[in-house]
Amino acid sequence: DMQGIAWILFLGSSMLALLGTPLYMVMTTYFNSFEAVVASYGLGYGLIFTFIGMIFFVYVCELFPVDVRNAGVGLSYNIGFCCFGGFAPMIFEAAFEHNTWAPGFLLSLAGLTTTASIIVSLLLQRKGKMQLTHIRPEPYFSPCGVPKKVPVKCEELGI
């Protein structure tokens, strides 16, 4: 973990914000082309959700202190999944009736929302108004190419 969990989630959500609509447009425009559907859906969204899919759970776990972590993760995940994941097919179908590319816009909007929430939470942490990490001693978002400081144990120094 050299760059941090938030960095990977930020990268994935930024890719979804930028590529959600174009990938959906390719998939709906060339729906008869097996190659276009595999490239846009399988490779495009597959790559994006590699960054978002499983790292999300570790990111959310670190947001809550130990004494309320189980309730915090359980409630936030299930409420979010119910409101957004549960109604997503219905919202996408309704949006599709107005514009065939609207579901792609909604995917990009979801990526933009996640990206914005990460930026806002990092700014609030920098101002001291929010604590993001409850497992690690320091924030878990370092710029690309700048590795985080790794704490050195006393035993390694011979102390």
Side-chain angles (χ1 to χ4, degrees):
D1 187 11
M2 297 298 293
Q3 299 307 125
I5 294 168
W7 177 254
I8 295 172
L9 188 61
F10 177 79
L11 180 65
S13 62
S14 297
M15 287 191 313
L16 182 61
L18 294 174
L19 298 175
T21 301
L23 288 172
Y24 189 81
M25 290 171 137
V26 168
M27 194 168 55
T28 56
T29 303
Y30 302 104
F31 61 89
N32 287 331
S33 170
F34 178 76
E35 292 83 10
V37 172
V38 167
S40 64
Y41 187 75
L43 297 176
Y45 287 126
L47 177 67
I48 290 170
F49 288 110
T50 298
F51 286 96
I52 297 173
M54 295 309 293
I55 202 76
F56 167 77
F57 297 108
V58 179
Y59 179 76
V60 171
C61 282
E62 289 195 2
L63 292 176
F64 297 99
V66 175
D67 54 338
V68 295
R69 183 168 298 144
N70 192 19
V73 171
L75 284 171
S76 64
Y77 177 78
N78 286 307
I79 290 171
F81 190 78
C82 175
C83 293
F84 299 104
F87 292 113
M90 183 178 66
I91 294 169
F92 276 42
E93 282 292 324
F96 187 79
E97 290 179 9
H98 294 288
N99 184 348
T100 57
W101 293 342
F105 296 135
L106 292 174
L107 286 171
S108 291
L109 181 63
L112 183 64
T113 303
T114 303
T115 302
S117 69
I118 291 171
I119 292 170
V120 168
S121 65
L122 288 169
L123 290 173
L124 288 173
Q125 177 181 295
R126 183 176 290 169
K127 291 182 179 181
K129 297 185 180 199
M130 176 184 249
Q131 181 182 357
L132 288 178
T133 59
H134 294 279
I135 295 176
R136 302 168 194 226
E138 62 182 59
Y140 47 87
F141 187 93
S142 62
C144 187
V146 180
K148 296 186 311 179
K149 296 177 186 174
V150 178
V152 179
K153 297 180 182 176
C154 293
E155 295 84 24
E156 294 174 0
L157 298 174
I159 299 174

XYZ file of all heavy atoms in Angstrom, residues 22-84:
498
model
N -18.883 7.866 -22.399
C -18.368 7.379 -23.686
C -18.435 5.854 -23.837
O -18.758 5.356 -24.911
C -16.910 7.856 -23.701
C -16.865 8.992 -22.770
C -17.893 8.717 -21.723
N -18.135 5.125 -22.781
C -18.209 3.661 -22.879
C -19.645 3.198 -23.105
O -19.890 2.269 -23.879
C -17.635 3.017 -21.612
C -16.128 3.092 -21.443
C -15.720 2.586 -20.074
C -15.422 2.305 -22.536
N -20.579 3.852 -22.429
C -21.988 3.494 -22.630
C -22.441 3.856 -24.047
O -23.209 3.122 -24.667
C -22.868 4.185 -21.591
C -24.288 3.695 -21.624
C -24.635 2.514 -20.990
C -25.260 4.391 -22.316
C -25.940 2.043 -21.033
C -26.566 3.936 -22.368
C -26.897 2.762 -21.718
O -28.177 2.285 -21.776
N -21.957 4.986 -24.572
C -22.306 5.392 -25.937
C -21.800 4.367 -26.953
O -22.513 4.026 -27.910
C -21.729 6.776 -26.244
C -22.388 7.897 -25.510
S -21.450 9.413 -25.754
C -22.754 10.562 -26.036
N -20.585 3.887 -26.766
C -20.041 2.861 -27.668
C -20.882 1.604 -27.595
O -21.221 1.002 -28.622
C -18.563 2.561 -27.316
C -18.069 1.310 -28.021
C -17.679 3.745 -27.664
N -21.238 1.215 -26.387
C -22.004 -0.016 -26.199
C -23.397 0.088 -26.822
O -23.892 -0.878 -27.400
C -22.108 -0.322 -24.701
C -22.566 -1.698 -24.384
S -22.354 -2.114 -22.645
C -23.211 -0.803 -21.828
N -24.042 1.238 -26.721
C -25.391 1.371 -27.283
C -25.375 1.687 -28.774
O -26.305 1.334 -29.482
C -26.191 2.464 -26.546
O -25.478 3.689 -26.595
C -26.462 2.064 -25.114
N -24.331 2.340 -29.253
C -24.246 2.659 -30.673
C -23.912 1.419 -31.501
O -24.496 1.185 -32.548
C -23.192 3.754 -30.924
O -23.526 4.895 -30.142
C -23.139 4.144 -32.386
N -22.968 0.638 -31.012
C -22.521 -0.563 -31.734
C -22.981 -1.828 -31.015
O -22.200 -2.746 -30.792
C -21.002 -0.549 -31.865
C -20.483 0.676 -32.567
C -19.878 1.699 -31.854
C -20.622 0.816 -33.942
C -19.421 2.838 -32.493
C -20.161 1.950 -34.587
C -19.564 2.953 -33.856
O -19.112 4.081 -34.498
N -24.257 -1.892 -30.651
C -24.763 -3.032 -29.894
C -24.734 -4.338 -30.685
O -24.750 -5.414 -30.105
C -26.176 -2.765 -29.371
C -27.191 -2.525 -30.449
C -27.892 -3.574 -31.002
C -27.425 -1.233 -30.899
C -28.824 -3.347 -31.992
C -28.356 -1.000 -31.891
C -29.054 -2.059 -32.452
N -24.666 -4.270 -32.014
C -24.581 -5.485 -32.831
C -23.160 -6.006 -32.971
O -22.953 -7.104 -33.449
C -25.163 -5.237 -34.233
C -26.670 -5.146 -34.205
O -27.314 -5.753 -33.358
N -27.220 -4.376 -35.126
N -22.182 -5.217 -32.563
C -20.782 -5.607 -32.672
C -20.323 -6.264 -31.368
O -20.252 -5.616 -30.319
C -19.921 -4.386 -32.976
O -18.549 -4.713 -32.860
N -20.019 -7.533 -31.441
C -19.549 -8.268 -30.270
C -18.272 -7.646 -29.714
O -18.112 -7.507 -28.505
C -19.312 -9.745 -30.644
C -18.772 -10.565 -29.521
C -19.592 -10.976 -28.488
C -17.433 -10.932 -29.489
C -19.100 -11.735 -27.440
C -16.928 -11.682 -28.453
C -17.769 -12.085 -27.423
N -17.372 -7.250 -30.597
C -16.092 -6.677 -30.176
C -16.279 -5.349 -29.436
O -15.617 -5.081 -28.444
C -15.163 -6.469 -31.385
C -14.681 -7.745 -32.025
C -15.691 -8.334 -33.021
O -16.694 -7.650 -33.356
O -15.482 -9.483 -33.437
N -17.197 -4.519 -29.950
C -17.433 -3.216 -29.309
C -18.042 -3.388 -27.920
O -17.656 -2.687 -26.975
C -18.350 -2.360 -30.176
N -18.961 -4.324 -27.786
C -19.588 -4.551 -26.479
C -18.579 -5.133 -25.495
O -18.502 -4.702 -24.344
C -20.827 -5.470 -26.621
C -21.359 -5.872 -25.265
C -21.908 -4.767 -27.424
N -17.770 -6.090 -25.945
C -16.752 -6.671 -25.058
C -15.723 -5.608 -24.672
O -15.311 -5.523 -23.509
C -16.074 -7.895 -25.715
C -14.828 -8.313 -24.962
C -17.048 -9.049 -25.791
N -15.320 -4.780 -25.622
C -14.319 -3.746 -25.321
C -14.862 -2.707 -24.355
O -14.183 -2.323 -23.401
C -13.850 -3.076 -26.608
N -16.093 -2.235 -24.597
C -16.622 -1.176 -23.730
C -17.100 -1.712 -22.392
O -16.776 -1.160 -21.350
C -17.748 -0.425 -24.433
O -18.833 -1.281 -24.679
N -17.857 -2.783 -22.418
C -18.425 -3.291 -21.164
C -17.417 -4.155 -20.408
O -17.169 -3.932 -19.228
C -19.697 -4.099 -21.455
C -20.436 -4.512 -20.213
C -21.175 -3.589 -19.490
C -20.384 -5.819 -19.750
C -21.847 -3.949 -18.353
C -21.061 -6.187 -18.604
C -21.785 -5.252 -17.915
O -22.441 -5.610 -16.773
N -16.847 -5.114 -21.087
C -15.938 -6.042 -20.422
C -14.622 -5.422 -20.011
O -14.208 -5.503 -18.860
N -13.964 -4.777 -20.956
C -12.655 -4.203 -20.656
C -12.762 -2.822 -20.015
O -12.095 -2.537 -19.025
C -11.807 -4.128 -21.929
C -11.466 -5.470 -22.572
C -10.707 -5.248 -23.874
C -10.668 -6.331 -21.625
N -13.596 -1.939 -20.591
C -13.712 -0.578 -20.070
C -14.260 -0.519 -18.663
O -13.586 -0.076 -17.732
N -15.491 -0.990 -18.501
C -16.091 -0.973 -17.164
C -15.396 -1.967 -16.235
O -15.311 -1.747 -15.025
C -17.588 -1.275 -17.233
C -18.403 -0.139 -17.794
C -19.259 -0.340 -18.869
C -18.321 1.133 -17.256
C -20.018 0.699 -19.388
C -19.065 2.172 -17.769
C -19.905 1.955 -18.830
O -20.646 2.985 -19.348
N -14.896 -3.068 -16.791
C -14.158 -4.038 -15.965
C -12.931 -3.421 -15.319
O -12.659 -3.627 -14.142
N -12.188 -2.634 -16.097
C -11.004 -1.952 -15.555
C -11.401 -0.910 -14.515
O -10.793 -0.815 -13.446
C -10.209 -1.298 -16.682
C -8.988 -0.491 -16.250
C -7.937 -1.428 -15.673
C -8.433 0.296 -17.403
N -12.431 -0.143 -14.805
C -12.867 0.896 -13.873
C -13.323 0.283 -12.556
O -12.916 0.720 -11.477
C -13.999 1.736 -14.499
C -13.452 2.589 -15.644
C -14.664 2.624 -13.451
C -14.512 3.272 -16.472
N -14.157 -0.746 -12.622
C -14.688 -1.324 -11.395
C -13.679 -2.200 -10.666
O -13.906 -2.574 -9.525
C -15.996 -2.064 -11.677
C -17.119 -1.104 -11.958
C -17.658 -0.989 -13.221
C -17.595 -0.269 -10.960
C -18.665 -0.087 -13.491
C -18.604 0.644 -11.206
C -19.149 0.736 -12.478
N -12.541 -2.475 -11.299
C -11.436 -3.099 -10.577
C -10.911 -2.136 -9.520
O -10.579 -2.529 -8.409
C -10.305 -3.473 -11.548
O -10.801 -4.411 -12.487
C -9.116 -4.052 -10.826
N -10.853 -0.871 -9.867
C -10.369 0.143 -8.927
C -11.417 0.504 -7.877
O -11.067 0.915 -6.775
C -9.956 1.420 -9.680
C -8.682 1.293 -10.424
C -8.692 0.977 -11.777
C -7.472 1.471 -9.795
C -7.511 0.859 -12.487
C -6.280 1.350 -10.490
C -6.306 1.036 -11.844
N -12.683 0.398 -8.212
C -13.743 0.823 -7.304
C -14.289 -0.324 -6.469
O -14.533 -0.177 -5.280
C -14.899 1.483 -8.093
C -14.408 2.738 -8.798
C -16.055 1.828 -7.188
C -15.426 3.360 -9.716
N -14.461 -1.469 -7.083
C -15.214 -2.578 -6.502
C -14.823 -3.029 -5.106
O -15.582 -2.871 -4.160
N -13.657 -3.588 -4.938
C -13.302 -4.190 -3.651
C -12.587 -3.223 -2.717
O -12.615 -3.410 -1.508
C -12.439 -5.432 -3.869
C -13.186 -6.548 -4.574
S -14.775 -6.957 -3.823
C -14.291 -7.631 -2.272
N -11.940 -2.224 -3.234
C -11.218 -1.289 -2.376
C -12.182 -0.446 -1.557
O -11.850 0.041 -0.479
C -10.263 -0.414 -3.234
C -9.141 0.152 -2.389
C -10.995 0.692 -3.918
C -8.091 -0.819 -2.060
N -13.393 -0.324 -2.040
C -14.417 0.467 -1.370
C -14.659 -0.022 0.060
O -14.808 0.775 0.982
C -15.716 0.397 -2.192
C -16.913 0.912 -1.469
C -17.106 2.270 -1.337
C -17.832 0.050 -0.913
C -18.207 2.755 -0.664
C -18.934 0.526 -0.248
C -19.125 1.884 -0.120
N -14.674 -1.331 0.274
C -14.980 -1.882 1.595
C -13.900 -1.531 2.610
O -14.208 -1.210 3.760
C -15.174 -3.398 1.506
C -16.331 -3.775 0.641
C -16.136 -4.336 -0.607
C -17.630 -3.534 1.054
C -17.205 -4.671 -1.412
C -18.707 -3.853 0.255
C -18.491 -4.424 -0.987
N -12.649 -1.575 2.206
C -11.563 -1.203 3.120
C -11.614 0.295 3.394
O -11.397 0.740 4.520
C -10.199 -1.616 2.536
C -9.064 -1.215 3.452
C -10.165 -3.112 2.280
N -11.925 1.081 2.373
C -12.030 2.536 2.524
C -13.098 2.889 3.562
O -12.875 3.711 4.447
C -12.361 3.152 1.161
C -12.515 4.651 1.172
C -11.406 5.486 1.236
C -13.772 5.246 1.095
C -11.549 6.860 1.222
C -13.912 6.625 1.082
C -12.793 7.420 1.147
O -12.933 8.784 1.137
N -14.267 2.259 3.455
C -15.368 2.553 4.381
C -15.030 2.086 5.789
O -15.346 2.769 6.763
C -16.683 1.921 3.873
C -17.774 2.019 4.900
C -17.120 2.594 2.594
N -14.376 0.941 5.930
C -14.024 0.446 7.265
C -13.123 1.411 8.018
O -13.243 1.569 9.228
C -13.327 -0.915 7.157
S -14.473 -2.252 6.869
N -12.228 2.057 7.298
C -11.299 2.971 7.965
C -11.948 4.293 8.357
O -11.362 5.072 9.085
C -10.081 3.220 7.084
C -9.186 2.013 6.990
C -7.822 2.348 6.444
O -7.542 3.521 6.176
O -7.033 1.415 6.314
N -13.146 4.559 7.877
C -13.809 5.821 8.197
C -14.394 5.848 9.608
O -14.704 6.913 10.121
C -14.921 6.106 7.186
C -14.488 6.413 5.760
C -15.706 6.584 4.867
C -13.613 7.643 5.699
N -14.578 4.676 10.228
C -15.258 4.610 11.522
C -14.310 4.131 12.610
O -13.517 3.228 12.386
C -16.456 3.647 11.434
C -17.505 4.092 10.463
C -17.558 3.553 9.190
C -18.427 5.065 10.805
C -18.514 3.964 8.278
C -19.382 5.494 9.904
C -19.423 4.937 8.644
N -14.422 4.704 13.818
C -13.633 4.196 14.943
C -14.100 2.788 15.320
O -15.216 2.382 15.009
C -13.903 5.191 16.069
C -14.945 6.117 15.591
C -15.200 5.870 14.152
N -13.248 2.065 16.002
C -13.498 0.652 16.298
C -14.810 0.423 17.045
O -15.553 -0.500 16.732
C -12.314 0.062 17.105
C -12.593 -1.359 17.532
C -11.044 0.125 16.286
N -15.126 1.266 18.010
C -16.309 1.020 18.840
C -17.634 1.148 18.091
O -18.644 0.589 18.509
C -16.306 1.912 20.082
C -16.162 3.387 19.755
O -15.658 3.703 18.672
O -16.555 4.211 20.597
N -17.668 1.853 16.959
C -18.908 1.974 16.177
C -18.733 1.473 14.742
O -19.606 1.691 13.907
C -19.431 3.432 16.157
C -19.846 3.886 17.528
C -18.421 4.351 15.529
N -17.620 0.818 14.462
C -17.328 0.415 13.085
C -18.377 -0.525 12.501
O -18.835 -0.345 11.376
C -15.947 -0.231 12.989
C -15.578 -0.601 11.565
C -14.138 -0.972 11.422
N -13.338 0.183 11.780
C -12.177 0.105 12.415
N -11.684 -1.058 12.742
N -11.505 1.184 12.698
N -18.781 -1.536 13.247
C -19.744 -2.509 12.734
C -21.061 -1.835 12.364
O -21.602 -2.041 11.279
C -19.969 -3.613 13.763
C -20.710 -4.783 13.200
O -20.764 -4.968 11.993
N -21.284 -5.582 14.074
N -21.577 -1.021 13.267
C -22.835 -0.314 12.993
C -22.655 0.718 11.881
O -23.517 0.857 11.003
C -23.343 0.365 14.261
N -21.557 1.442 11.893
C -21.318 2.473 10.884
C -21.208 1.903 9.481
O -21.835 2.399 8.551
N -20.412 0.851 9.341
C -20.259 0.233 8.024
C -21.560 -0.426 7.592
O -22.007 -0.271 6.453
C -19.102 -0.787 8.024
C -19.085 -1.591 6.730
C -17.776 -0.089 8.214
N -22.200 -1.144 8.488
C -23.439 -1.843 8.148
C -24.542 -0.900 7.727
O -25.197 -1.103 6.703
N -24.752 0.143 8.510
C -25.809 1.100 8.171
C -25.504 1.879 6.897
O -26.356 1.997 6.012
C -26.037 2.071 9.330
C -26.805 1.504 10.518
C -26.781 2.487 11.678
C -28.233 1.212 10.109
N -24.300 2.407 6.796
C -23.978 3.217 5.614
C -24.000 2.383 4.346
O -24.522 2.830 3.312
C -22.621 3.906 5.783
O -21.587 2.948 5.865
N -23.464 1.179 4.400
C -23.450 0.329 3.202
C -24.867 -0.074 2.806
O -25.241 0.033 1.634
C -22.594 -0.916 3.434
C -22.618 -1.855 2.256
C -21.860 -1.581 1.120
C -23.416 -2.986 2.257
C -21.894 -2.420 0.031
C -23.459 -3.834 1.170
C -22.685 -3.548 0.055
O -22.730 -4.385 -1.020
N -25.656 -0.538 3.754
C -26.990 -1.032 3.415
C -27.955 0.076 3.003
O -28.769 -0.117 2.098
C -27.560 -1.847 4.572
C -26.885 -3.193 4.662
O -26.821 -3.919 3.679
N -26.353 -3.522 5.823
N -27.869 1.232 3.634
C -28.716 2.351 3.217
C -28.310 2.816 1.820
O -29.158 3.042 0.947
C -28.659 3.504 4.236
C -29.378 3.094 5.516
C -29.266 4.776 3.656
C -29.204 4.066 6.661
N -27.008 2.942 1.589
C -26.540 3.337 0.258
C -26.893 2.324 -0.812
O -27.334 2.672 -1.907
N -26.731 1.047 -0.497
C -27.047 -0.002 -1.471
C -28.540 -0.040 -1.761
O -28.952 -0.220 -2.904
C -26.571 -1.359 -0.944
C -26.635 -2.442 -1.970
C -25.673 -2.539 -2.953
C -27.669 -3.361 -1.959
C -25.731 -3.526 -3.905
C -27.740 -4.357 -2.904
C -26.771 -4.446 -3.890
N -29.351 0.157 -0.728
C -30.804 0.149 -0.917
C -31.253 1.337 -1.758
O -32.003 1.186 -2.720
C -31.498 0.173 0.436
S -33.283 0.321 0.334
N -30.788 2.525 -1.416
C -31.243 3.733 -2.116
C -30.694 3.831 -3.533
O -31.423 4.189 -4.455
C -30.833 4.975 -1.336
S -31.671 5.126 0.240
N -29.412 3.535 -3.703
C -28.803 3.730 -5.016
C -28.748 2.439 -5.822
O -29.119 2.417 -6.988
C -27.413 4.353 -4.877
C -27.457 5.696 -4.225
C -27.066 5.863 -2.906
C -27.920 6.790 -4.920
C -27.125 7.107 -2.304
C -27.984 8.044 -4.329
C -27.584 8.199 -3.011
